[in-house]
Amino acid sequence: MITTILRHVPNWTLRAAHDLGLAAWFGGAYMGAVALNGASREVEDPTQRGRVANAGWFRWAAIVPVAVGAHLSGGLGLTLRHGRASRGSERTAVVLRAGLLGATLLATAESGRLGRKVARAGDVPVATAVQPIADTPADVASAQRRLRVLQWVIPSTTAAMLVIDAWQESHGGARLIPRRWLPRMLGWGRG
């Protein structure tokens, strides 16, 4: 049923959902790694640093499924519309991108799981949202060290997907707005 619906959605709508979802996924992860996690150091009480960062991340966590869902549904619709890649370099890009997508989905899920683990620990002393200190409990410190890596995996893999998308678009990928739709949208005859 979903594939039937997606086949009838205009190309430009699918592309917009795909690109906006990926942009939000990248932007939120990058902002969190650079700004939110780093800014947690500014909280004077080390036992409150995690609480402040977690409050920000949990607000973002409500948006992540929407961004990922938009990206995946737009991508599925475009795939249904345009079929399989035919040339070797196109196939390579599709396989590479699929691998990056899988890695990003796993990293996002693991990051959420670890973030919930850190939050459940309560108000424990930390240097930053992703950096323990000597007084940080061992299980929280372990989760923080893994989060410190994942905070860069997610923006790196989403950025790599954006680059592959740009490459595909420049090599004859799906048009943002098909030629026959633009004239109709603007009232310029039959198109």
Side-chain angles (χ1 to χ4, degrees):
M1 181 172 146
I2 292 173
T3 57
T4 303
I5 292 168
L6 289 174
R7 287 181 198 271
H8 292 91
V9 174
N11 229 30
W12 67 270
T13 306
L14 294 170
R15 174 60 65 190
H18 176 270
D19 292 353
L20 286 172
L22 185 55
W25 198 358
F26 165 78
Y30 189 61
M31 185 285 305
V34 172
L36 185 57
N37 288 346
S40 65
R41 181 182 306 277
E42 300 300 316
V43 176
E44 287 191 34
D45 183 352
T47 64
Q48 295 301 300
R49 291 174 181 155
R51 176 188 294 248
V52 170
N54 289 334
W57 277 115
F58 288 131
R59 282 176 176 77
W60 169 243
I63 304 301
V64 172
V66 175
V68 173
H71 176 68
L72 293 176
S73 62
L76 176 60
L78 290 169
T79 300
L80 292 170
R81 182 79 39 86
H82 298 288
R84 297 176 182 221
S86 58
R87 294 181 298 199
S89 59
E90 289 174 351
R91 283 192 299 271
T92 301
V94 168
V95 169
L96 178 59
R97 194 184 187 299
L100 287 166
L101 177 59
T104 309
L105 288 166
L106 289 172
T108 300
E110 180 65 359
S111 181
R113 186 187 75 77
L114 291 170
R116 287 187 299 277
K117 182 177 184 175
V118 169
R120 279 193 303 269
D123 295 338
V124 298
V126 296
T128 70
V130 294
Q131 188 174 5
I133 57 177
D135 294 336
T136 305
D139 59 332
V140 173
S142 175
Q144 282 188 299
R145 282 190 284 276
R146 286 182 277 168
L147 282 168
R148 191 169 190 181
V149 172
L150 290 174
Q151 76 175 344
W152 297 112
V153 169
I154 298 166
S156 297
T157 54
T158 51
M161 286 190 285
L162 287 164
V163 169
I164 290 170
D165 289 351
W167 181 88
Q168 287 176 310
E169 185 68 30
S170 71
H171 286 79
R175 294 183 168 283
L176 290 174
I177 299 176
R179 280 183 230 157
R180 67 178 184 267
W181 285 79
L182 183 59
R184 282 188 210 150
M185 286 173 47
L186 298 175
W188 293 342
R190 294 181 182 193

